[in-house]
Amino acid sequence: GGWGGGAADAAGIQFRILNASKGPAVRGPRAQMDRALYKKKMQSLVYSTPGLEVYDGAVADLIVDALAGGESSPEGRTHQVKGVQLACGRRIQADSVVITTGTFLRGVVHIGSSTRPAGRLPSLDAKNSGADLAADRAATALAQTLDRLGFRLGRLKTGTPPRLDGRTIDYSNLAPQPGDAEPQPFSFLETLTDARGSWAPPSPQVPCFATATTSATEEVVRAAMLDARAVFE
């Protein structure tokens, strides 16, 4: 019933229940998203929220002050947050700050045998539009501040699959995988239905395509894994 489900329903271009032929315990809803549509829907929800003021910018660091006299509070706190500093240099004052870090704190991106600090790769739309790409960089200063304040930091591997340019794929040798004939929405608030009374996705639906590896592709992957291990170890 949250915004995430509603945005997914608005931007989904294929909906499919995995393991539909098996028991309910192993079934799982899956949807392919149009990234631009998802972003547009989520921004629409955020910007239309009464009483919410939106600042568009990358947070570079926290603004914190030590407690008076260098002593700690009864809860053990030694510092008080006062706001955030954006990458552009602007300071926003606040009595409390909610940090949704995602993959950005000390983020590292691995591409083949190379690695570099980053929170994510910028989309082609962002690159072509001349948008400020600071939002895609790793939050290094913020991570250092949290570490200095005594927070324990860790790193999780996301294992993001490679993005393929659909214009470079020969679909004639692939097996089409259509979505479900009667797709199920993620949000419990959906009321948009078709003539049959079933929920109807608002975005045009597209098929997925399945392929398989060969001994040649497996060898390419195996060689790349050896190169990557040599670099990262």
Side-chain angles (χ1 to χ4, degrees):
W3 279 2
D9 292 339
I13 54 178
Q14 188 192 93
F15 294 82
R16 192 175 184 185
I17 300 295
L18 302 182
N19 298 320
S21 62
K22 300 180 180 180
V26 295
R27 295 174 192 164
R30 185 194 71 177
Q32 305 290 334
M33 303 292 157
D34 183 304
R35 185 179 184 276
L37 290 177
Y38 186 91
K39 180 179 179 180
K40 181 179 180 180
K41 178 63 176 180
M42 189 60 77
Q43 287 182 337
S44 174
L45 291 168
V46 171
Y47 293 149
S48 62
T49 300
L52 179 63
E53 190 172 358
V54 179
Y55 292 87
D56 188 359
V59 173
D61 204 354
L62 290 174
I63 303 171
V64 294
D65 286 344
L67 296 181
E71 299 181 358
S72 62
S73 69
E75 299 83 13
R77 292 185 290 110
T78 59
H79 292 75
Q80 173 66 46
V81 67
K82 294 296 183 180
V84 297
Q85 179 169 320
L86 304 185
C88 65
R90 181 175 183 179
R91 296 163 66 92
I92 300 176
Q93 304 298 319
D95 293 329
S96 60
V97 174
V98 177
I99 303 175
T100 55
T101 61
T103 58
F104 289 82
L105 287 181
R106 293 194 306 198
V108 175
V109 169
H110 303 291
I111 304 176
S113 59
S114 64
T115 179
R116 64 182 177 85
R120 66 185 174 204
L121 290 180
S123 66
L124 289 177
D125 291 338
K127 288 182 177 179
N128 296 334
S129 67
D132 182 5
L133 301 182
D136 300 310
R137 299 170 187 159
T140 303
L142 179 58
Q144 291 173 342
T145 295
L146 292 173
D147 187 49
R148 174 171 55 85
L149 293 174
F151 290 92
R152 184 167 57 89
L153 304 179
R155 178 176 287 128
L156 300 177
K157 179 180 178 296
T158 61
T160 305
R163 269 57 166 170
L164 304 179
D165 187 341
R167 297 168 297 183
T168 67
I169 299 174
D170 180 6
Y171 292 94
S172 63
N173 295 319
L174 306 184
Q177 289 186 332
D180 291 340
E182 295 187 11
Q184 301 295 316
F186 283 88
S187 175
F188 295 105
L189 304 178
E190 289 295 343
T191 58
L192 185 64
T193 59
D194 59 16
R196 300 171 299 174
S198 301
W199 175 72
S203 300
Q205 300 297 285
V206 301
C208 289
F209 294 86
T211 185
T213 62
T214 65
S215 57
T217 57
E218 291 173 357
E219 187 57 38
V220 171
V221 172
R222 199 173 289 115
M225 292 174 63
L226 291 175
D227 290 343
R229 277 202 296 268
V231 172
F232 301 138
E233 292 177 356

